[in-house]
Amino acid sequence: MKKYILINILTILIFSVFNLFGQQISDKDYNHQLIHEDFNNESLYFPIINNTENHFVLDNGDYLLIRNNNMSAHKIIANNSSSSNFILKTSIRIGPSRNKEASLGIILKAKEDKREAVIFEINSKGNYRIKKIKGSRHQILTNNKNDGWVKNKVINKSDSNNDVEIRTENNTFDVYVNNSYLTTFFAGDYTTGSSGFIISSATKARVEYYYINEKDKEPEPSITNNKTKILNKEISNT
């Protein structure tokens, strides 16, 4: 138990240090599109579900999410979204619902079983929270008050869009909301994984777009180029 408390304290200290120094990650060279989803046509990355617990459909160019279950949240993982270093951009809006604590989170670097991930959440009150989940346990990275929720004036409240940009490189995460820098944090034990959303119980939300960009990949040298290099080396040695 003491060891777990010590890890929490160290994590919060690291989180505070990164906030002190501010944004670290440049968006330069992140031009390779891994996912470019505008939700205008049938989605290749997100599921369409319509049952008693979930109503996830395309609606007027948005991904409409309605969680009818009153007891638990639900995770949605985007297909083909696994990456290590990337820039994720999305626009989310939490609608009015029965849940006064309604929230929509962005899942980052989730393992295949969805039991481990980093989550950045926004709620209907204009607060944000960052946490790591491991199985049934979660570790809050923001603060120990108000269940980790932090108020910030750049975040819009219920029924207004929030444009979110998350840059991650070498396990550091820079977060921007509505074109304003929000915070930086570090999660050293999450090197790669998939992205998506987590919607709280009894919650309605909309997603306008969802983009993930990686750095341009350097082309692999062709067999012809290799032969040319060998030939040039042989000529220079004669």
Side-chain angles (χ1 to χ4, degrees), residues 20-31:
L20 180 65
F21 288 102
Q23 60 233 64
Q24 305 288 319
I25 303 168
S26 170
D27 60 356
K28 184 180 179 182
D29 300 326
Y30 280 88
N31 301 314

Side-chain angles (χ1 to χ4, degrees), residues 21 41 114 121 199 213 231:
F21 288 102
N41 300 299
K114 305 181 188 178
E121 295 175 282
I199 183 170
N213 275 26
L231 179 62

Side-chain angles (χ1 to χ4, degrees), residues 129 140 142-150:
R129 178 172 67 180
I140 294 173
T142 33
N143 62 49
N144 290 324
K145 299 178 181 179
N146 196 26
D147 200 25
W149 291 109
V150 179

Side-chain angles (χ1 to χ4, degrees), residues 83-95:
S83 185
S84 298
N85 302 319
F86 57 88
I87 294 179
L88 187 155
K89 296 181 180 181
T90 188
S91 183
I92 61 178
R93 183 169 80 224
I94 301 171

Side-chain angles (χ1 to χ4, degrees), residues 4 8 13 42 50 64 78 99 108 145 159 186 217-218 221 225:
Y4 185 71
N8 277 341
L13 287 173
E42 183 179 353
N50 191 6
L64 174 62
N99 185 357
L108 305 162
K145 299 178 181 179
D159 221 19
F186 180 76
K217 293 180 172 62
E218 293 186 4
N225 287 340

Side-chain angles (χ1 to χ4, degrees), residues 109-125:
K109 298 189 178 181
K111 306 301 181 186
E112 287 186 11
D113 60 4
K114 305 181 188 178
R115 292 176 59 81
E116 294 187 27
V118 179
I119 297 177
F120 172 79
E121 295 175 282
I122 288 177
N123 68 16
S124 57
K125 298 178 181 179

Side-chain angles (χ1 to χ4, degrees), residues 124-165:
S124 57
K125 298 178 181 179
N127 302 329
Y128 78 93
R129 178 172 67 180
I130 300 166
K131 63 184 181 182
K132 298 191 295 185
I133 58 171
K134 286 193 174 184
S136 60
R137 297 170 59 181
H138 67 266
Q139 179 185 354
I140 294 173
L141 303 184
T142 33
N143 62 49
N144 290 324
K145 299 178 181 179
N146 196 26
D147 200 25
W149 291 109
V150 179
K151 187 77 173 178
N152 194 288
K153 63 182 180 180
V154 306
I155 300 175
N156 295 322
K157 296 181 180 180
S158 176
D159 221 19
S160 296
N161 276 39
N162 281 293
D163 296 331
V164 180
E165 178 177 342

Side-chain angles (χ1 to χ4, degrees), residues 147-225:
D147 200 25
W149 291 109
V150 179
K151 187 77 173 178
N152 194 288
K153 63 182 180 180
V154 306
I155 300 175
N156 295 322
K157 296 181 180 180
S158 176
D159 221 19
S160 296
N161 276 39
N162 281 293
D163 296 331
V164 180
E165 178 177 342
I166 301 175
R167 305 175 184 180
T168 176
E169 192 171 279
N170 300 326
N171 302 335
T172 300
F173 297 75
D174 287 346
V175 182
Y176 300 78
V177 177
N178 297 320
N179 299 312
S180 296
Y181 169 74
L182 183 68
T183 189
T184 293
F185 66 97
F186 180 76
D189 44 350
Y190 293 82
T191 56
T192 190
S194 299
S195 300
F197 294 106
I198 180 168
I199 183 170
S200 62
S201 60
T203 296
K204 296 179 182 179
R206 286 180 176 269
V207 183
E208 187 176 338
Y209 59 82
Y210 188 91
Y211 307 146
I212 297 179
N213 275 26
E214 297 178 311
K215 282 189 175 181
D216 290 330
K217 293 180 172 62
E218 293 186 4
E220 295 183 4
S222 65
I223 296 175
T224 302
N225 287 340

